[in-house]
Amino acid sequence: RTDDHSLSENESLIMISKLFLRVTKHYLPHVARLCLVSTFLEDGVRMWLQWAEQSEYIDSTWNCGRFLANIFVLLNLLGQLGGCVLILSRNFVQNACFALFGIIALQTLAYSILWDLKFLMSTSCSWGVESSWS
């Protein structure tokens, strides 16, 4: 009797999971893409909200002047948010992934964080994510 009861519970769980997948199968790919690009979205929004601080940091670190520092921050902002929009809209995904990879490389050099272990770990995770988009 307990076998029949557990069997019916298993069957009902299978039916519920199939129903859940049937209902959500159109939304899950979009949610997955959003999760994958969330780091870039957050960083792009942070660039927008902390524009002056980011520009000042680049200027003080590289002594390149405010104009070039602002160009750098703008390039980061547009590269990250533009890449995310392209990936989420499923347009030019491979090019957007290359752009995001380029942004990672650019930030690595500009912020002098090549040997920061935390950055290296998160970047290597991003590289894995980008290669899965292709």
Side-chain angles (χ1 to χ4, degrees):
R1 240 176 176 211
T2 54
D3 288 337
D4 290 338
H5 181 64
S6 65
L7 185 62
S8 66
E9 280 184 23
N10 287 342
E11 288 175 350
S12 65
L13 286 174
I14 290 171
M15 300 254 313
I16 289 170
S17 63
K18 284 183 179 181
L19 177 64
F20 176 77
L21 288 175
R22 191 176 326 125
V23 170
T24 61
K25 73 179 179 180
H26 299 291
Y27 305 105
L28 287 178
H30 302 291
V31 171
R33 279 187 202 89
L34 181 62
C35 290
L36 290 173
V37 298
S38 63
T39 300
F40 295 105
L41 282 172
E42 181 272 331
D43 199 34
V45 170
R46 188 173 45 78
M47 286 277 174
W48 178 275
L49 297 176
Q50 297 177 347
W51 185 282
E53 293 90 350
Q54 296 290 327
S55 177
E56 184 178 315
Y57 177 80
I58 293 298
D59 182 25
S60 67
T61 302
W62 291 98
N63 200 20
C64 61
R66 283 299 256 201
F67 178 75
L68 288 177
N70 281 320
I71 294 296
F72 173 81
V73 174
L74 180 65
L75 179 66
N76 266 301
L77 177 104
L78 293 178
Q80 290 184 68
L81 295 181
C84 290
V85 167
L86 288 174
I87 288 169
L88 290 173
S89 66
R90 297 168 56 184
N91 292 315
F92 307 104
V93 173
Q94 190 170 9
N95 294 338
C97 289
F98 285 130
L100 292 176
F101 181 78
I103 293 295
I104 290 172
L106 183 65
Q107 286 181 352
T108 302
L109 296 173
Y111 290 106
S112 303
I113 49 179
L114 183 59
W115 304 114
D116 181 10
L117 186 59
K118 182 180 176 185
F119 176 77
L120 286 175
M121 291 298 131
S122 68
T123 300
S124 64
C125 289
S126 296
W127 288 340
V129 166
E130 287 179 10
S131 66
S132 70
W133 287 332
S134 303

